[in-house]
Amino acid sequence: MDWAVLHFDPAVTKEQRASYNPRTPYMTLVAGTRVGHYEVLAPIGAGGMGEVYRARDTRLDRDVAIKMLPALFAADPERIARFEREARVLASLNHPNIAAIYGLEPATAAGATSLALVLELVDGTPLDARIGPGGLPVADVLRFAAQIADALAAAHAAGVIHRDLKPANIIVTRAGAVKVLDFGLAKISAVDTFAATMTAHGPAPHTAEGAVMGTVAYMSPEQAAGRAVDARSDIFSFGSVLFEMVTGARAFEGDTSMSTLAAIIHQPARPVSHVNAAVPRELERLISRCHRKDPAKRVQSMGDLRVALEELRDDLESGRLSGPVPAAAVAPRSGWRRSAAFAAAALGVLAAGAAGGYALKPPSSAAAPALSIRHFTADVGVTDDPAVTSNGSLIAYASDRFDGTNRDIWVQPASGGDPVRVTTDAADDGEPAFSPDGGRIAFRSERDGGGIYIVPALGGSERLLVRDGRHPAFSPDGKWIVYVTGGRGTIASLFVMPAAGGAPRRLFADSAIGGRPVWAPDSARVMVVASKDGLTDAFIVAIDDKAPAAPRATGVFGVLPEAMTPVLEAWTGERLLCSSEAGSGGIWSVNVRDGRAGGAVPVYQSASPIGRVAIDAAGRMYFADVSTRTSLWSIPEGMRAAGAAPVAITVTAAADDMPSLSADGRSLAFRSTRRMDASVWVRDMGTRRETAVPSPAQIIGAALSPDGRTVAYTSSSAGPDTTELTIVGASGGVPRTVCQKCAGQIWTWTSDGRALLVAAQRPNVLSLVDVATGRVERLIEGHDNEIWLARNSPDGQWLSFIRWPVADRARIYVAPFKRGAPIADASWIPVTSGETVDEEQAWAPDGRTIYFVSERDGFRCIYAAPFDPSAGRVGAVQPILHAHGTRRRLLPTAAAPGRLDAGGGRLVFPMQETQSNIHAITIEKAPR
């Protein structure tokens, strides 16, 4: 718990702050302790406000639950009086679906005094444990939801707001009855600030208007913003619970708690049918009405919700409930953001200019037009990179629909009709761009090392334009093609060449290009995101045969909310269309005039990432809605594993990465976002049971000890500039801080389990940290490039590691290893040639093979190099697993340290599964 959060509560005295110990916020009880006439039996776990214990009511001969409150609040008589008043109100809620509150009792242990809340002990399963990956059957959803709504309606009638409604606070008994727990505890004013800090996601932000309370993923927009809430806040949270019940996924998700809060406040929940197409449309509409941002436009009472759910249940049982939403149906308009100035300031209605450019046309009515969204493709794999002719008649895109192994270029009439497959090469083709007359398509292909090719729009002979190019774009007058070059990570250079063929010319040479360029309507300028002289921004570069004019920054970065990194999509007159690289998707329209940007307006926002966006002269947009999932997979370990099909180990809607196996392969630790922020989990590979390890939310890296008993992790929970290295038992226990500011990323344990190999917070330093003493020993330093992912051989005699000389080159080395001695450069033995990216290495349990991930064939695949430890000699590299498909690929280290590990006869690694389709957006006529 962060003391800074308590600072926001003016009722906390200076003396209380001075005596407060954030490491021990609760009083700990042991079995046999008496709290009034209740005898403590055993701990149950941590609840939203304190430790929870099972106890025996010795008077009435029944088991109860006891929740301890912080001793800090028990020292304030005014707080106790307010708490008791609220507890009496909650105790008056006599409802079969609300867990009862039996009373308050003083508790004393080890000289400390606090309060104990005595609650009904409910025997059942938490709702979050019953919800599977695909959600619950509709019949169960309606049965449980009606009971939850009835409980909330009764509480609201008594003036009590829950404020922390979530599946974990709802128990389903063996008889199928629902019990809502922790009811109203967040409303207790004496513990508002404390409750805000004790969710599973770490400290929540506050505002001057009040504390932000509850669990992040289920908050209402007004709750997330710290504004005053009423019963309609519970209705929004109830909609999020319903969404998860029918889909198995959360309505709002982000990479961090803050990004989730931003999504709740600013972005619509994705339509239920986009996650589970089998949900009845009436139920989807009801959830959408709960999720309206404006409380005045939501369902106004839980009583009305209960009646609506009971009617849906009756219709389901009688067979009158309608089927699911059709795949091509227009998404509910209430679920998407619209701006009053949408037509004029966002998309507008674009008309073709005289030189093939676009001009912005104001709307004919002051009323805002409606946004209509429909599926353009409905594939099960990867369909993305849309491009459209200026007259809007043809759509080109990349799709792997033919056999699922690689993408080809397809062209399809915008008005409907069958798609035409334009390219048929076995290599991956993508990034199509139409010529202004619509007769040709330039595209990026991975064939023969990669480059830009050109082909007739409806198929024909393909020819190479330039090697190593990507993101081609025709100038509006058709004379030029601009493109970028470079490999992994940052794209290096910007080039322009004649569209008819000829020598390329480099532009903006003293910069590092970071995205695709877009043309101005006059064909005389391009805009590109780049880094120059320490400034990263969107720059305008003049196209001049003699010498390009000095580029000017447009300031797009400072215009978009939360400094989102923009992906440039189209430049139409004085308007720039761009999307966001944030975890959730968004399309923005930005005013660009005289080399400056301003007036960003949201055009479309989605909970899913947005792929490339294409726009035609009439203002119709096409974009790829991308869905990704990262899970852990395995193949048999050994040279004979070559060609084996990978098998999924973890399959959830969360992101699982950084696998770390014990030496015998019986235990697996990994990082997961299944609790929103990254946390550490341990899996028993025999029973498949997974448990969360006590850890903060800001996990940077984690590793399991060779004996499988201890987990080490680095975290930034103490602040962005403070990284702690911590160890904790794999089965639980009290975490112990080994050292602070001694490690940035954690790589692995030494084979004897006594020390950890880490990347120091200072760049380019590989260090060893003794677990017992916290002593730091530097092994490799002084290089002008990063030393990455060090591993100790099973016999402890060798160290493998990666060196990155440049962005698109990484080389694996081994060197003799001995505690107490730095590793000299002269002792390095190369394992790979360094001509491509070779990384993510792991030792075989016998120490005679080094497995690694390489991009040597254009894809991230797994290879093996034999190693003779007696001679320090490396053998010929052999392929183990080729992962060339577009739908499932090995996770790149640039996204997150993927990690490859070996043990127990298997290799374990994260793979990212991707699915995407093209959606079309049109503007309906505004009502008069």
Side-chain angles (χ1 to χ4, degrees), residues 9 63 88 96 168 176 234 328 346 352 360 392 463 476 555 568 630 704 706 773 861:
D9 189 345
D63 284 358
R88 283 194 293 270
D234 279 352
L360 199 63
R463 65 181 177 91
L568 308 183
T630 301
L704 185 64
T773 65
C861 304

Side-chain angles (χ1 to χ4, degrees), residues 63-94:
D63 284 358
V64 298
I66 287 183
K67 177 174 287 188
M68 298 303 300
L69 300 176
L72 171 66
F73 296 137
D76 188 338
E78 182 181 350
R79 287 174 173 274
I80 293 176
R82 284 187 289 165
F83 182 82
E84 289 175 340
R85 287 196 299 270
E86 294 288 350
R88 283 194 293 270
V89 173
L90 297 174
S92 68
L93 296 178
N94 184 15

Side-chain angles (χ1 to χ4, degrees), residues 286-560:
L286 192 63
I287 296 172
S288 177
R289 291 181 63 199
C290 293
H291 271 155
R292 291 173 180 172
K293 303 294 184 186
D294 185 351
K297 296 180 180 179
R298 290 178 207 149
V299 179
Q300 292 297 291
S301 77
M302 274 293 174
D304 291 342
L305 265 176
R306 182 200 61 217
V307 171
L309 289 164
E310 289 172 346
E311 290 176 350
L312 288 178
R313 186 179 176 186
D314 291 341
D315 290 343
L316 179 68
E317 293 173 349
S318 66
R320 296 192 304 270
L321 194 62
S322 65
V325 178
V330 174
R333 294 180 191 172
S334 60
W336 307 103
R337 294 186 61 180
R338 287 173 293 182
S339 168
F342 174 82
L347 263 182
V349 178
L350 301 175
Y358 305 125
L360 199 63
K361 187 176 179 180
S364 58
S365 170
L371 193 62
S372 172
I373 304 169
R374 64 182 177 89
H375 287 278
F376 186 76
T377 65
D379 296 313
V380 296
V382 176
T383 298
D384 57 10
D385 284 355
V388 60
T389 55
S390 59
N391 64 8
S393 61
L394 295 176
I395 312 299
Y397 51 83
S399 178
D400 67 356
R401 64 161 63 106
F402 183 71
D403 58 9
T405 60
N406 67 282
R407 296 180 307 161
D408 293 304
I409 304 300
W410 297 71
V411 170
Q412 187 170 341
S415 59
D418 295 332
V420 175
R421 186 181 178 194
V422 176
T423 66
T424 59
D425 194 89
D428 204 38
D429 297 335
E431 302 173 7
F434 278 107
S435 60
D437 61 6
R440 294 171 295 162
I441 296 175
F443 63 97
R444 161 75 183 190
S445 179
E446 302 302 326
R447 67 189 77 176
D448 300 325
I452 295 176
Y453 289 73
I454 196 164
V455 64
L458 296 180
S461 178
E462 306 157 19
R463 65 181 177 91
L464 175 69
L465 278 182
V466 64
R467 294 284 183 194
D468 195 32
R470 62 183 70 243
H471 298 311
F474 281 93
S475 60
D477 62 10
K479 294 180 180 180
W480 304 97
I481 292 178
V482 68
Y483 64 94
V484 294
T485 64
R488 187 174 174 276
T490 301
I491 296 173
S493 305
L494 176 68
F495 286 86
V496 66
M497 65 177 295
R505 181 164 52 92
R506 187 174 179 182
L507 305 172
F508 202 9
D510 56 345
S511 64
I513 308 302
R516 57 178 170 263
V518 294
W519 284 95
D522 60 10
S523 297
R525 298 165 295 161
V526 295
M527 188 185 298
V528 67
V529 173
S531 294
K532 175 180 168 59
D533 300 329
L535 172 66
T536 300
D537 212 322
F539 290 84
I540 296 174
V541 182
I543 305 298
D544 190 305
D545 288 332
K546 297 179 181 178
R552 292 182 293 175
T554 66
V556 173
F557 275 65
V559 173
L560 294 185

Side-chain angles (χ1 to χ4, degrees), residues 753-811:
R754 295 167 50 197
L756 289 156
L757 293 163
V758 303
Q761 285 191 302
R762 194 165 72 111
N764 311 327
V765 176
L766 173 64
S767 298
L768 189 75
V769 179
D770 188 284
V771 173
T773 65
R775 180 176 175 271
V776 179
E777 174 185 337
R778 291 183 175 177
L779 300 178
I780 301 176
E781 64 177 319
H783 287 272
D784 57 357
N785 47 75
E786 190 167 359
I787 304 299
W788 193 255
L789 191 60
R791 298 273 193 163
N792 195 197
S793 62
D795 63 5
Q797 302 300 307
W798 297 88
L799 204 67
S800 64
F801 53 91
I802 303 164
R803 182 186 180 192
W804 289 84
V806 293
D808 57 353
R809 300 287 189 273
R811 193 174 192 180

